[in-house]
Amino acid sequence: LRQRWSPRAFDDRPVEPEKLRSLFEAARWAPSSNNGQPWRFLVAGKENKVEYDRLFNCLVEGNQKWAHRAPVLLLSVAKLQFEDGSQNRHALHDTGMAVENLAIQAAALGLVTHQMAGFLIDRARMDCQIPEGYEPVAMMAIGYPGDPALLSDRQRARETQPRVRKAATEFV
């Protein structure tokens, strides 16, 4: 768990399809309310320029400045209702659990991920044809660790600063 972090420096090396499948297999096993499994993922690698650009263009400018190096982009989406049509008020939580499984599996495979709240939700809804009843949750860059020297001075400073976490006594 301590190996998982959110860098901005990505190598442009493609992620192997079997590793991507492994990430989604890990997400598949996340717990969810009533086993609703509300998560959906839109994913594109650079080899699919049209789909990659569709996701990339949903990012805010600040994230575009570094995320263009990531070989894979992902948009997580939560289905807000159960199959019977009733509200799933835990859909966002459950989708986050699936994403965390994915991120931990990525770290185990030598990959890095960076989740981003900085994206244009309305553009994602429109460009990705997300239907009513589904909520775009977050974007994620996926790939291999890259060289921080390729980042801007500000991004490099953030990249190389020590990771700090609150002590458990602060939230328990």
Side-chain angles (χ1 to χ4, degrees):
L1 290 172
R2 287 184 181 173
Q3 290 177 337
R4 192 226 49 87
W5 72 298
S6 300
R8 289 169 188 80
F10 283 85
D11 190 270
D12 60 3
R13 178 174 132 198
V15 176
E16 299 85 345
E18 61 274 8
K19 285 191 177 182
L20 279 177
R21 283 191 298 274
S22 179
L23 301 184
F24 297 114
E25 183 67 15
R28 183 171 90 93
W29 289 101
S32 62
S33 178
N34 289 318
N35 198 27
Q37 302 172 46
W39 48 83
R40 304 293 186 269
F41 299 111
L42 303 176
V43 62
K46 283 189 173 181
E47 68 280 355
N48 186 336
K49 182 170 174 32
V50 171
E51 296 302 321
Y52 186 92
D53 287 349
R54 183 185 327 271
L55 292 176
F56 181 80
N57 290 328
C58 293
L59 293 172
V60 298
E61 183 181 351
N63 285 330
Q64 287 182 344
K65 289 179 180 179
W66 59 265
H68 66 90
R69 289 185 188 87
V72 177
L73 293 176
L74 174 148
L75 172 63
S76 61
V77 178
K79 181 180 180 188
L80 302 176
Q81 294 88 26
F82 290 109
E83 291 303 317
D84 67 3
S86 64
Q87 178 188 8
N88 180 355
R89 69 178 210 87
H90 299 289
L92 297 174
H93 173 270
D94 295 348
T95 299
M97 303 242 324
V99 168
E100 179 64 5
N101 275 16
L102 187 154
I104 292 169
Q105 180 67 11
L109 296 174
L111 299 169
V112 290
T113 60
H114 188 113
Q115 295 184 58
M116 298 168 276
F119 72 102
L120 307 170
I121 294 172
D122 289 338
R123 183 167 187 166
R125 281 186 197 286
M126 185 178 64
D127 290 1
C128 298
Q129 300 176 18
I130 298 171
E132 193 171 318
Y134 291 79
E135 182 67 24
V137 179
M139 297 279 293
M140 179 186 277
I142 303 170
Y144 287 95
D147 183 358
L150 297 174
L151 298 171
S152 70
D153 291 342
R154 181 177 177 272
Q155 292 167 345
R156 187 172 43 261
R158 291 179 75 188
E159 191 86 355
T160 57
Q161 69 187 11
R163 291 176 64 208
V164 178
R165 290 287 187 255
K166 293 179 182 179
T169 56
E170 291 188 45
F171 55 84
V172 177

